[in-house]
Amino acid sequence: MAIEIDHLGIAVRSLAEGLHFYEKMLGMTVSRTETIAAEQVAIAMLPAGADASAPRIELLEATGQESPIARFIEKRGPGLHHIALRVDDLALAIERLKSEGARVLGEPQRGAGGHLYVFLHPASTGGVLLELIQKEPVRD
């Protein structure tokens, strides 16, 4: 299974505050912003490299009280929310992980940028929420 880092998801209280640091202080540039109504989250993607396949930082701001990001921040405060890994075959990866006893959270769904993804429970990954993303031929 070929795996690449896609992005690091960072929960922030406010995209504006988060972007101040990453854009103004680090000199990074936002490649895309998006609101995902079904997940009650607004995101900003910041590439951490020069080419299109470079890993990114994803800032996540809750847009509703019931958002997983709102609950995360309420419990733990802002910070690293998840690590996202690209895989060549998401269905095969899920099948393999389940057969090995990993706890997959739900079924694959479409998220930011239209990418197909699924999360793995931290109990299966050494304490880190992992997101697996179907590798797409073209990235934003």
Side-chain angles (χ1 to χ4, degrees):
M1 180 174 10
I3 296 175
E4 301 168 346
I5 294 176
D6 186 82
H7 67 268
L8 303 177
I10 300 174
V12 295
R13 293 189 197 283
S14 155
L15 282 181
E17 290 174 14
L19 287 172
H20 174 76
F21 176 78
Y22 289 95
E23 286 185 312
K24 304 290 187 237
M25 298 177 84
L26 289 181
M28 297 177 81
T29 303
V30 172
S31 64
R32 180 170 48 84
T33 60
E34 184 176 348
T35 298
I36 301 127
E39 296 176 18
Q40 296 183 35
V41 68
I43 63 120
M45 287 291 198
L46 299 112
D51 65 58
S53 66
R56 299 164 295 164
I57 292 176
E58 176 186 45
L59 300 182
L60 303 138
E61 174 190 51
T63 60
Q65 299 266 337
E66 297 303 312
S67 164
I69 298 303
R71 291 193 304 268
F72 178 88
I73 288 175
E74 184 178 312
K75 258 184 158 174
R76 297 178 184 90
L80 182 65
H81 180 260
H82 66 273
I83 298 171
L85 304 173
R86 284 189 300 268
V87 297
D88 288 330
D89 187 333
L90 183 60
L92 182 61
I94 291 168
E95 181 182 315
R96 178 177 170 204
L97 289 161
K98 282 182 175 179
S99 75
E100 293 294 325
R103 190 167 160 199
V104 177
L105 299 174
E107 296 297 319
Q109 54 189 333
R110 294 272 171 203
H115 297 287
L116 191 63
Y117 74 94
V118 71
F119 280 100
L120 302 176
H121 194 280
S124 298
T125 65
V128 176
L129 181 63
L130 281 183
E131 177 182 11
L132 297 182
I133 298 173
Q134 174 65 51
K135 187 175 180 178
E136 302 288 337
V138 176
R139 293 204 39 229
D140 57 299

